[in-house]
């Protein structure tokens, strides 16, 4: 019998834009006791991953002020940048969002960090939260 691999929608990671990784990393690592998970850089940002149960906190430091994270920090300062949900079927979820009139940033999934397929939804359609969708 095939194993049912559906897990339901869950938080994959929370992306936090930071001004300087080295300054904030000790807070998460040493004070909160979170273990570091090596992650590749992506979208013009240095990324430090920290394990939080089945989820991750991703600290994002811009390579340049012109990168997406650099612009975000320049405009609003450091803070929560996006929440990433892992869904069982990314294409079906994106189709449902499109049909419901949700504004999509990525009309079709693209390859994100770690080679996973991802797609972003526009905050204008999601109560002000930049949402990244991925799949496991
Ligand atoms: Zn992300």
């Amino acid at each position: 019998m095939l194993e049912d691999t559906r897990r339901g929608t869950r938080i994959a990671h929370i992306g936090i834009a930071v001004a300087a990784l080295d300054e904030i990393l000790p807070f998460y690592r040493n004070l909160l006791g979170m273990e570091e998970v090596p992650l590749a850089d992506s979208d013009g940002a240095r990324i430090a991953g920290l394990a939080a149960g089945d989820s991750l906190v991703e600290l994002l430091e811009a390579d340049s002020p012109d990168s997406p994270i650099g612009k975000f920090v320049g405009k609003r300062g450091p803070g929560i940048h996006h929440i990433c949900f892992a869904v069982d079927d990314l294409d079906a979820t994106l189709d449902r969002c499109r049909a419901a009139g949700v504004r999509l940033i990525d009309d079709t999934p693209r390859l994100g960090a770690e080679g996973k397929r991802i797609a972003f939804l526009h905050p204008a359609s999601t109560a002000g939260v930049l949402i990244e969708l991925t799949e496991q």
Side-chain angles (χ1 to χ4, degrees):
M1 204 169 105
L2 280 174
E3 194 188 333
D4 188 352
T5 54
R6 289 176 302 169
R7 296 175 61 197
T9 301
R10 58 218 172 269
I11 294 176
H13 63 262
I14 297 173
I16 300 176
V18 304
L21 270 184
D22 298 341
E23 284 175 25
I24 194 67
L25 249 179
F27 166 76
Y28 288 96
R29 201 177 42 205
N30 305 338
L31 302 184
L32 299 190
M34 295 166 78
E35 207 167 303
E36 257 190 273
V37 178
L39 292 175
D41 298 349
S42 170
D43 275 344
R46 282 177 61 208
I47 306 177
L50 297 143
D54 288 338
S55 303
L56 283 178
V57 166
E58 290 187 5
L59 303 177
L60 312 162
E61 182 195 273
D63 281 341
S64 85
D66 298 332
S67 67
I69 297 299
K71 286 180 192 162
F72 178 92
V73 171
K75 211 159 117 185
R76 312 185 206 195
I80 292 180
H81 179 260
H82 67 274
I83 296 178
C84 179
F85 292 107
V87 296
D88 288 326
D89 187 333
L90 177 57
D91 298 292
T93 304
L94 216 49
D95 285 345
R96 278 199 305 275
C97 289
R98 186 183 299 108
V102 172
R103 197 164 145 196
L104 311 178
I105 293 176
D106 298 301
D107 196 52
T108 53
R110 60 182 169 97
L111 284 186
E114 315 297 304
K116 285 184 182 169
R117 296 197 316 141
I118 61 163
F120 280 92
L121 307 179
H122 198 281
S125 295
T126 59
V129 179
L130 177 60
I131 290 181
E132 177 183 6
L133 298 175
T134 188
E135 59 192 354
Q136 211 76 332

